[in-house]
Amino acid sequence: MIHYPELLKADTVNSVQSARCRFCGTQLRRTVVDLGVTPLCESFLTADQLNQMEPFYPLHVYVCEQCFLVQLEEYVSPERIFTEYAYFSSYADTWLEHCKRYADRMVERFHLTYQSQVVEVGSNDGYALQYFIEKKIPSLGIEPAINVARVAIQKGVPTRTEFFGTESAQRLVREGIQADLLYGNNVMAQVPNLNDFVAGLKILLKPDGVMTIEFPHLMQLVAGNQFDTIYHEHFSYFSFITVEKIFSTHGLNLFDVEELPTHGGSLRIYACHNDDTSKPVSALALALKQREQQAGLTELAYYAAFDEQVKETKRKLLEFLIEAKRAGKSVAGYGAPGKGNTLLNYCGIRTDFLDYTVDRNPYKQGKYLPGTHIPIYHPDKITETRPDYVLILPWNFKDEIIHQLAFIRTWGGQFVVPIPEVSVIS
Ligand SMILES: [Zn+2]
C-alpha cells in the first residue's frame, strides 16, 4: 500500500533509505514523530519576499535502534542555517539571570581566577560570557553566525567566528589556548557532526579542566509533549544515557548532572577527562540514569508512542481556536520563537486563526513568520488592538510574559498556553 506522504517525499526517498545515525552509523528506521514539511524556523520573511517561493523541508524525527539517539536527518547545510541567525539570546530576562547564576556558581565551585581560561562554544552574542568577563576571567567565545558574533565583539566579548570541531580545537591548542572551564548552552543539538564536535571538546579541555553542556532533556520533551522544540536547526535530542555513551566513546566521563527548568526541562552535564580521578561520579548522575531506564528510554516502545500524543495535542489546540473564532473572539500571538514556527506550521495556523504576533526583538519586527506569513509587530500592538486571547508561543517563558502583559486583563484578555496541551489562563 502506498501512503500519500511517501509519494510527496519521493525525491527524498533515497536519502531516507540511506540515513544513518550521526553517532554510531546504524541505519535509521524507527520514526519518533513526523511533523510534515516546514520551512526553516528562523527564516523570517520581509514583505517583498511574501510572494516568492519558500523552501520547505521534511521534519521527520527518528530514533537509532542501537544507541537511542533521537535525531533528524540533515536536510539543510548548517552553513545555510547558521551564518545569518536571527536569535539574539540577550532578549530574554529569565535567560540572562540563568547565565549570571551559572557564572557565579562555576567560579565558586571550580575556583576560577584571572589566571583561568573559560571557553564557550556557540557563544551567541556574548550574553553568557559577559558575566565571566565582569569577573576579569580570560574568556573566549566561538560562534559561527557572523551577524551574531559581530554583536558580541562590539560588546567586548572576544569571539571567533567559526564552526567548532577538532580542527578549530587543534588550532586553539596550537595558539596556547586550553580551557579550565569549557561550556556550551543549547549548542549540541545544532551540531551536524556530533563525533567531531565532542572530539574537539576533548582536545580543548585542560587535563584537569571541567566541561559543562546544557541541552533540553529528551525525557522532558516527551513527558511535556514539547514537540514544537523540534526543528531543522536541532539535529539531535538527547537523554543522559545516550550522551554518556557518546562522551565515553570520546574519552570523557560524566561526573555530575543538574536538572534545570530552562527550555521546558534541561540537563546540565559535567564532564572531565576519563583519566581525571579527582572527580567522582555523583549520586545525582547515577539516579538520573536509573530514572531514564525506568521511564523506558532504552526501549523502542517509548519512542513509538510519541507520534499519536503529538497528533492529539494538535487536535486540541485547533479545537480551541475554532471555537474561539466561531464565538467572534480575536487571538494574537506573543513571541516569534523557533518553536512557535514548528507549532504553527504543523498545526496549519495562519492569519485565519492568529491575527498577528509580537516580539521584543527588533530584528523580527516588521517581518513575517516563515510558512504561515503571520506578521510580527512591536509588543505595543497588543495595547492598541486589545485581543481577547494572547497565545504565548515561547511557553517556556510563560510566567515572565504573563507578568509583563498583566494589563490585558483590564479589557478581559486571557492567556493561552499551547503546550503540554492547550490551556487558558485568565
Ligand atoms: Zn546510533
Side-chain angles (χ1 to χ4, degrees), residues 93-305:
D93 300 338
T94 328
W95 184 244
L96 286 178
E97 283 163 32
H98 172 82
C99 296
K100 187 176 188 319
R101 270 198 311 274
Y102 169 77
D104 291 343
R105 291 193 45 203
M106 291 306 108
V107 169
E108 201 190 313
R109 179 167 173 185
F110 300 112
H111 315 293
L112 301 175
T113 68
Y114 66 93
Q115 290 176 314
S116 311
Q117 175 71 54
V118 174
V119 178
E120 180 178 4
V121 177
S123 52
N124 208 283
D125 62 4
Y127 65 97
L129 274 179
Q130 66 180 337
Y131 299 113
F132 290 101
I133 289 173
E134 272 176 15
K135 295 174 197 292
K136 311 257 185 285
I137 298 171
S139 303
L140 177 68
I142 298 166
E143 168 57 48
I146 297 162
N147 60 328
V148 179
R150 197 181 301 132
V151 174
I153 293 166
Q154 280 163 1
K155 283 201 300 204
V157 177
T159 304
R160 305 270 175 113
T161 309
E162 58 190 34
F163 282 94
F164 181 77
T166 48
E167 210 184 290
S168 84
Q170 278 157 355
R171 198 165 37 237
L172 288 167
V173 172
R174 277 199 298 272
E175 290 175 34
I177 298 172
Q178 259 193 316
D180 295 280
L181 174 67
L182 176 59
Y183 74 97
N185 289 334
N186 302 305
V187 61
M188 206 162 59
Q190 306 179 354
V191 171
N193 190 340
L194 195 54
N195 286 314
D196 186 64
F197 180 83
V198 180
L201 294 175
K202 167 93 179 165
I203 292 168
L204 193 54
L205 189 69
K206 272 190 191 165
D208 59 349
V210 170
M211 188 190 304
T212 79
I213 305 283
E214 281 179 45
F215 52 86
H217 189 190
L218 178 64
M219 189 164 76
Q220 301 296 343
L221 187 156
V222 171
N225 226 358
Q226 302 161 4
F227 66 89
D228 58 341
T229 61
I230 294 165
Y231 35 89
H232 298 105
E233 288 82 342
H234 288 176
F235 302 125
S236 313
Y237 303 82
F238 300 102
S239 63
F240 184 78
I241 289 173
T242 298
V243 168
E244 190 181 49
K245 209 176 290 177
I246 296 168
F247 274 56
S248 140
T249 301
H250 291 280
L252 293 162
N253 192 25
L254 303 194
F255 66 91
D256 200 6
V257 66
E258 282 174 82
E259 291 183 78
L260 309 166
T262 46
H263 295 286
S266 295
L267 294 184
R268 176 186 293 151
I269 53 159
Y270 290 75
C272 61
H273 289 287
N274 55 1
D275 53 4
D276 178 353
T277 50
S278 67
K279 301 173 181 74
V281 178
S282 74
L284 282 174
L286 296 171
L288 178 60
K289 223 167 122 173
Q290 206 170 27
R291 267 168 54 215
E292 283 193 349
Q293 248 147 13
Q294 279 162 356
L297 275 94
T298 49
E299 287 154 44
L300 288 169
Y302 173 87
Y303 302 93

Side-chain angles (χ1 to χ4, degrees), residues 318-331 352-353 388-389 414:
L318 287 175
E319 241 163 35
F320 168 81
L321 289 170
I322 290 167
E323 275 173 34
K325 292 311 268 187
R326 282 210 178 113
K329 306 285 188 189
S330 56
V331 189
D352 45 1
F353 288 118
D388 297 303
Y389 294 108
Q414 292 179 300

Side-chain angles (χ1 to χ4, degrees), residues 47-64:
D48 57 352
Q49 288 173 317
L50 290 178
N51 291 332
Q52 293 170 11
M53 252 202 330
E54 210 180 339
F56 278 56
Y57 303 92
L59 201 47
H60 191 145
V61 187
Y62 294 90
V63 62
C64 172

